[in-house]
Amino acid sequence: MSMHFKIPSATPGPARKRVRKAVFPVAGLGTRFLPATKAVPKEMLPIIDRPLIQYAVDEAREAGIEELIFITGRGKTAIVEHFDTAFELEATMKDRAKALEILEPTRIQPGNLLTVRQQVPLGLGHAIWCARAVVGDEPFAVLLPDELMIGAPGCLRQMVDAYDMLGGNLVSVLEVPEEEVSSYGVIAPGWRDGALTEVKGLVEKPRREDAPSNLIISGRYILQPEVMRTLETQEKGAGGEIQLTDAMARMVGDQPFHAVTFAGRRFDCGSKAGFVEATLTLALERADLAADVRAIMQKLLDRPGADSVPATGLGAVLASAA
Ligand code: UTP
């Protein structure tokens, strides 16, 4: 396996428990995508022909995850059904001599998909805490499906490689312009070496002037089970929600905490512009679509008045993709 990191002291650590479980919090309300998300979970919105949750599950499996834990809520059953066997569909496809391989990524080893209900969406920290019984006494990964991470190896794979050397807790980070930090969890960095950064503190949605850096947490975590005990007593934080970032911040100092800068691309599919950018970018990279999509974009850009689209909106995405 190739090493993506330079470590200050690359001595082998004590035998560590492997990261076998991943938690996918999917109980949020998806209010930024209403009315689309009134009856359809945000995590089922497709980037071309794969729902967001499928990208996250594929990334987790590539990283060696065996057990998938979905934190669900009202109206989220479509996510679980997506990973079920659709007998009628498969029988009809077989009758019509259609290939079934397209469904392969949706197949789960029986017993490896668990759902836990979060009755009220009280925040990401609370969603993770809901998984405490099924996580048990093991390190676990957390993947937020609306953060689409594209890379080879994938983001969680890169983090598991770092975990194998460092143990403890890890978050994935990326640099953003300073004016964007107040929308995210931000780390206070210590030493930096290649893709690795020591985490000395974390703060959720700081004011720009209070932010300890412009390194934001980008939706992937490897956490030790002790975080569940910290979450138990976690007060509400930014936005009146029980924040995972606040619980992690309380663990810094007691446990190793590092950040991995993801070598790859990230799309914030929880925002409309990020979702469109992901769709266009991935379409332009697909052999079956690239030529058609490029032609469509060109036509749109050549259209009279195309220049009048504000440069910060969809126009900027189209212009940079053309
Ligand atoms: P977001 O804040 O991005 O998702 O939470 P949201 O609340 O669904 O979306 P908006 O802001 O209203 O548009 C990040 C992830 O955490 C989950 C969400 O489903 C999403 O995957 N989440 C959030 C929960 O599972 N429970 C919660 O209480 C909050």
Side-chain angles (χ1 to χ4, degrees), residues 179-180 272-274 277 307-320:
E179 58 273 20
E180 289 178 23
K272 284 172 237 196
E277 184 187 4
D307 287 351
S308 62
V309 178
T312 52
L314 181 57
V317 176
L318 285 168
S320 66

Side-chain angles (χ1 to χ4, degrees), residues 205-225:
K205 298 188 177 60
R207 292 188 314 178
R208 181 180 172 174
E209 54 276 27
D210 300 331
S213 74
N214 64 341
L215 286 171
I216 62 148
I217 306 173
S218 60
R220 302 290 182 270
Y221 312 74
I222 291 177
L223 298 171
Q224 296 300 316

Side-chain angles (χ1 to χ4, degrees), residues 37-59:
T37 46
K38 190 176 169 204
V40 176
K42 174 170 76 173
E43 298 78 11
M44 287 304 292
L45 298 180
I47 301 295
I48 308 177
D49 49 13
R50 276 203 291 169
L52 284 169
I53 188 71
Q54 184 74 63
Y55 288 93
V57 164
D58 292 350
E59 181 189 329

Side-chain angles (χ1 to χ4, degrees), residues 233-298:
T233 54
Q234 189 56 55
E235 308 269 321
K236 287 180 180 169
E241 296 194 343
I242 296 175
Q243 297 287 354
L244 179 60
T245 306
D246 296 343
M248 293 190 300
R250 286 165 61 203
M251 291 167 71
V252 173
D254 295 340
Q255 294 209 352
F257 236 108
H258 298 93
V260 177
T261 302
F262 172 48
R265 288 169 299 162
R266 166 260 190 179
F267 301 94
D268 178 3
C269 294
S271 81
K272 284 172 237 196
F275 190 92
V276 174
E277 184 187 4
T279 303
L280 293 175
T281 307
L282 297 199
L284 285 171
E285 291 175 5
R286 275 183 46 162
D288 60 336
L289 287 173
D292 285 350
V293 174
R294 189 171 290 279
I296 292 164
M297 284 176 160
Q298 204 53 60

Side-chain angles (χ1 to χ4, degrees), residues 25-33 42-43 71 76 118 120-124 126-127 144-146 241 270:
V26 293
L29 298 175
T31 54
R32 283 171 290 171
F33 272 87
K42 174 170 76 173
E43 298 78 11
I71 311 301
K76 299 284 182 166
Q118 185 191 26
V120 185
L122 295 176
L124 177 60
H126 181 262
L144 308 192
D146 54 359
E241 296 194 343

